[in-house]
Amino acid sequence: MRALSDADWYRLRQASRFLAWRAHDLDADALLAEAVVRTLDGRRVWRRDAVDFTGHLIGVMRSVAYHDRVAIGMTKVGTPSRLPQLRDVDPDDRLGAQQQIARVLSYFQERGDDEALRVLGAMKHGARGAEIRARLELSRRELETIMRRIRRGAHRVALAQGGLS
């Protein structure tokens, strides 16, 4: 770890911010710390022949964030914006989340991305992967492509609004 350059640490911090934003209960620092701890205590083993150390830590963070989403019932093709949980949050937090969702919807409206808007609309009404595919007559690959656009767009909106620090 001492051999990590400033560029490596920057890359790790950027990845932890993005991945923590997608996770439910973790902030960026906690996610990066968890990846380091799991590596140091042997729960995760760095395969030097397959990936550099920075890539290994990013992979561990990705795994931890994914398992955090699975633990609360979100799936790989599930909701990137935590729409179903809005009713369970503090009213002040709910207002912020609703504003963020409005910004994401506006982002896709400005770009004329009807596919993303249709998927977001289905998600808002509680539909998940297979149901969205059936409702909108999409293949798995098409839905995954649209979901990547949605995640990237939501990330851009959060960066533009200072949502990721």
Side-chain angles (χ1 to χ4, degrees):
M1 287 188 42
R2 288 185 192 129
L4 291 175
S5 68
D6 288 342
D8 292 330
W9 281 111
Y10 177 79
R11 183 175 165 211
L12 287 168
R13 282 191 301 276
Q14 289 296 97
S16 70
R17 287 179 186 132
F18 176 73
L19 292 167
W21 184 72
R22 292 173 45 196
H24 178 64
D25 285 331
L26 300 168
D27 67 14
D29 293 333
L31 186 59
L32 181 54
E34 183 65 21
V36 171
V37 167
R38 288 184 184 201
T39 298
L40 293 175
D41 72 11
R43 283 183 282 168
R44 295 299 299 256
V45 177
W46 173 30
R47 292 187 2 209
R48 294 174 182 178
D49 59 323
V51 65
D52 66 357
F53 190 65
T54 305
H56 163 76
L57 288 175
I58 290 172
V60 174
M61 288 189 294
R62 183 178 293 124
S63 175
V64 170
Y66 172 78
H67 286 95
D68 182 68
R69 287 192 326 262
V70 168
I72 62 163
M74 296 173 95
T75 63
K76 188 173 185 179
V77 184
T79 60
S81 59
R82 301 186 191 115
L83 292 172
Q85 289 80 29
L86 282 180
R87 66 183 173 278
D88 301 327
V89 297
D90 174 23
D92 292 334
D93 291 341
R94 182 180 305 154
L95 181 60
Q98 288 171 336
Q99 290 171 342
Q100 188 69 12
I101 291 167
R103 288 181 190 119
V104 170
L105 290 172
S106 176
Y107 174 89
F108 288 105
Q109 287 169 342
E110 290 169 5
R111 283 154 184 73
D113 192 337
D114 293 330
E115 290 177 322
L117 291 169
R118 288 175 49 215
V119 169
L120 286 167
M123 289 166 48
K124 186 174 183 178
H125 290 93
R128 301 250 175 174
E131 187 178 352
I132 293 172
R133 286 195 320 268
R135 275 189 194 179
L136 303 180
E137 299 177 351
L138 298 170
S139 70
R140 177 180 286 277
R141 185 177 199 151
E142 289 170 325
L143 180 58
E144 288 172 352
T145 299
I146 295 166
M147 289 304 298
R148 273 193 301 277
R149 276 200 320 264
I150 290 171
R151 283 191 294 272
R152 289 174 183 156
H155 183 70
R156 286 183 189 111
V157 167
L159 285 173
Q161 297 301 317
L164 295 176
S165 54

